[in-house]
Amino acid sequence: MKKIIKNGTVVTATDTYRADICIENGVITQIGGKLPDVDAEIIDAKGCYVFPGGIDPHTHLDMPFGGTVTKDDFESGTMAAAFGGTTTIIDFCLTTKGKTLKSSVDTWHAKSKDKAVIDYGFHLQIVEMNNEKLAELPKMIEEEGITSLKVFMAYKNQFQADDETLFKTLIAARDLGALVMVHAENGDVIDYLVKKAIADGNTDPIYHALTRPPEVEAEATGRAATLTELANSQLYVVHVSCAEAAWKIAEARSKGIDIWGETCPQYLVLDQTYLEKPNFEGAKYVWSPPLREKWNQTELWNALKTGQLQTIGSDQCSFDFVGQKDLGKGDFSKIPNGGPIIEDRVSILFSEGVKKGRISLNQFVDITSTRSAKLFGLYPKKGTIAIGADADIVIFDPTVERVISAESHHMAVDYNAFEGMKVTGEPVSVLSRGEFVIREKQFVGKPGAGQFLKRAKYGADKQTIHEGPLTV
Ligand code: URP
Ligand code: ZN
Ligand code: ZN
């Protein structure tokens, strides 16, 4: 049966208007002033915004890391994402030196199959770029639909790739139509600073931040931008945490380099002092890059507002405080890096961004959904409300106030990094391809209902096809 969403205010990255939305067979078939109710299930969105479902371009579900495995898997992680108004995630598929890319992709399919409650795609990590990997890449991009490649410039002796690998990846991506993503921190310098701190007896969580100063992030960001220019390629910098890195991106963009930047909620609202919490509580706030001095938040908000940063990812990488984060008691370098954010990404951006006047409502939709759809080959199927688009829709009450807490969240972890934070605005109902996943704040979805998304090549959204002579 078709569904009609009535009485809501539709918001896209460009427009805000009152309209009804008709959904048939999972897609939006009509948008209009007053659509007739005949033979339709009516969904009342009175007093609510109707947004395109959020797209989280940065998650690590069921991922081995730091001697353990992230707590949220594709079931709990996507369920929590849906509660928070996200209807698509793109997760990082880790790869291994000496093994085929295909074997890693198969592993990630096995992790997600029958589990995801919303649609999902993969980014592909590149740890080495040799003839075997080069030969496999076209298949990954064209047949598997994995059109973004991730290079870590940090995590020495684990994920880190060298500049030659990054450069070759940029060239391959340019030729094959993929977007290169970087974790931009200088891993060699960090390795030296970490070893020195530990040798000096500086083992508390705060030293995680002190051994990864903003300069190491800015240097790597600038280096990656320069290599992108040299390769005439395209780059997306994940989890930008500080002003210095955001400025490097702005500078590169002003030179015409095709570079994009993502930040995350934690960098917008939390700061370095959280790492100083007593009783090892600082470990809850160990991310790489680390939380920064508070003044950076203003610069990051300004960069989102002015378009110098374009997206917000959760960087969901959750570990329990008890039993996982405590692997680093007595040695901060052994604290698994990352935190649980997938559920609160959209709410925090709405509450802290729109409600506090830092960004507009349309910018909020662009940052949480539309821009990622465009950059990662999902637009216009995802990321907007338009005829023919998937009916991935969030009915969002902008007036509800709630307090974020591990008591009420749906992630599988034993703490919430934003515990006690008051936010205004909350998803009431969430639809994925026209089916309710969340209905009146209750989960009604099904593990396995989420589909793997084969994504279009980088830049596909920009192509204009003129079918006949242009007339004016
Ligand atoms: O601390 C973080 N960010 N953990 C997840 C892995 C990564 O670097 O994105
Ligand atoms: Zn990273
Ligand atoms: Zn990450």
Side-chain angles (χ1 to χ4, degrees), residues 23 81 98 122 154 192 205 304 354 413 443:
I23 302 165
F122 300 148
Y192 170 81
L304 283 175
V354 179
V413 273
F443 178 70

Side-chain angles (χ1 to χ4, degrees), residues 58 60 65 150 152 155 183 239 286-288 315 317 337-338:
H58 188 156
H60 305 276
F65 186 35
K150 169 75 177 290
F152 287 92
Y155 302 126
H183 172 132
H239 53 41
V286 165
W287 279 279
S288 292
D315 195 7
C317 189
N337 292 194

Side-chain angles (χ1 to χ4, degrees), residues 34 53 58 69 98 105 114 156 170 259 302 357 385 401 421:
K34 285 245 176 292
H58 188 156
V69 179
V105 171
D114 300 333
K156 196 172 162 106
L170 283 161
I259 180 171
N302 285 343
I385 291 182
E401 295 189 352
M421 183 177 163

Side-chain angles (χ1 to χ4, degrees), residues 83-339:
F83 268 108
T86 291
T87 53
T88 299
I89 61 157
I90 314 181
D91 199 77
F92 288 95
C93 168
L94 295 187
T95 60
T96 314
K97 276 189 181 166
K99 287 198 178 165
T100 63
L101 297 173
K102 175 82 170 77
S103 66
S104 303
V105 171
D106 288 346
T107 303
W108 245 253
H109 277 303
K111 285 172 187 283
S112 46
K113 190 175 172 298
D114 300 333
K115 288 203 157 185
V117 309
I118 53 171
D119 292 350
Y120 59 98
F122 300 148
H123 310 290
L124 190 64
Q125 185 203 5
I126 300 296
V127 270
E128 60 185 353
M129 190 50 81
N130 51 28
N131 288 341
E132 288 78 34
K133 293 279 163 19
L134 260 179
E136 242 196 308
L137 260 188
K139 211 169 169 181
M140 294 296 113
I141 292 166
E142 271 145 36
E143 291 174 25
E144 301 282 339
I146 303 179
T147 54
S148 39
L149 309 173
K150 169 75 177 290
V151 176
F152 287 92
M153 300 170 80
Y155 302 126
K156 196 172 162 106
N157 301 324
Q158 196 182 4
F159 297 154
Q160 187 172 328
D162 57 19
D163 285 353
E164 182 183 346
T165 303
L166 173 56
F167 191 57
K168 285 178 173 167
T169 305
L170 283 161
I171 290 170
R174 175 199 66 200
D175 293 345
L176 296 169
L179 179 58
V180 177
M181 308 168 80
V182 281
H183 172 132
E185 284 186 299
N186 186 320
D188 291 348
V189 172
I190 291 167
D191 187 60
Y192 170 81
L193 294 174
V194 168
K195 282 183 179 144
K196 184 166 182 330
I198 301 290
D200 290 347
N202 296 324
T203 58
D204 288 345
I206 184 63
Y207 288 97
H208 174 76
L210 300 179
T211 53
R212 306 177 93 98
E215 289 84 350
V216 300
E217 185 181 346
E219 184 279 325
T221 306
R223 180 161 32 107
T226 303
L227 296 180
T228 304
E229 183 178 27
L230 198 57
N232 192 19
S233 188
Q234 48 268 353
L235 186 76
Y236 176 99
V237 183
V238 301
H239 53 41
V240 174
S241 74
C242 61
E244 288 91 334
W247 294 335
K248 288 282 181 194
I249 293 171
E251 186 190 332
R253 288 176 68 79
S254 76
K255 288 165 75 181
I257 301 173
D258 194 0
I259 180 171
W260 308 88
E262 164 202 279
T263 189
C264 311
Q266 56 272 34
Y267 303 120
L268 293 168
V269 300
L270 306 178
D271 64 71
Q272 192 176 300
T273 59
Y274 282 73
L275 285 127
E276 291 167 354
K277 286 192 181 236
N279 304 321
F280 194 62
E281 288 249 348
K284 292 179 178 173
Y285 308 94
V286 165
W287 279 279
S288 292
L291 297 178
R292 303 299 189 186
E293 288 176 9
K294 201 165 176 53
W295 65 269
N296 287 276
Q297 294 171 2
T298 312
E299 296 296 319
L300 294 177
W301 280 113
N302 285 343
L304 283 175
K305 183 178 181 160
T306 58
Q308 300 303 341
L309 296 176
Q310 300 80 24
T311 64
I312 186 154
S314 68
D315 195 7
Q316 168 77 13
C317 189
S318 60
F319 301 103
D320 273 336
F321 181 55
V322 178
Q324 292 190 292
K325 285 279 184 182
D326 53 14
L327 290 169
K329 262 194 178 149
D331 180 349
F332 71 87
S333 70
K334 296 197 167 62
I335 300 169
N337 292 194

